[in-house]
Amino acid sequence: MSEAFEISIGPEEYFRLNNGRVLKNLNELLNALKSLNEETFEFHVNEQKNDFGNWIRYVFKDEELAKSI
């Protein structure tokens, strides 16, 4: 498992889903991805962007994990 899963971040770096849910770490992202509806997922991941990948890349500094997601 990536070392990024062990990193703690501050509230200014939390991920805010368009449905109002706030993700505070990568474990919460993993759990959220299992239950997100299609509309919420496609808001954050589509042909123009990958918000989840960018969050991992810039907040957790894990390029490999960001690419894989």
Side-chain angles (χ1 to χ4, degrees):
M1 184 173 282
S2 169
E3 289 181 19
F5 277 82
E6 304 300 320
I7 296 174
S8 295
I9 60 174
E12 69 280 359
E13 296 178 311
Y14 291 169
F15 191 98
R16 287 158 178 79
L17 294 167
N18 74 324
N19 66 5
R21 185 172 177 185
V22 177
L23 307 178
K24 299 176 183 177
N25 56 54
L26 292 178
N27 284 318
E28 289 184 9
L29 173 60
L30 180 61
N31 289 328
L33 289 172
K34 295 175 184 177
S35 63
L36 284 182
N37 65 37
E38 189 173 337
E39 180 182 342
T40 299
F41 182 82
E42 289 181 355
F43 178 87
H44 293 288
V45 178
N46 54 55
E47 289 183 18
Q48 290 78 38
K49 64 182 178 178
N50 182 338
D51 293 338
F52 302 129
N54 288 334
W55 188 51
I56 293 167
R57 178 177 289 111
Y58 298 115
V59 173
F60 297 97
K61 311 291 188 227
D62 190 324
E63 189 67 30
E64 289 300 312
L65 183 59
K67 287 179 184 178
S68 69
I69 197 163

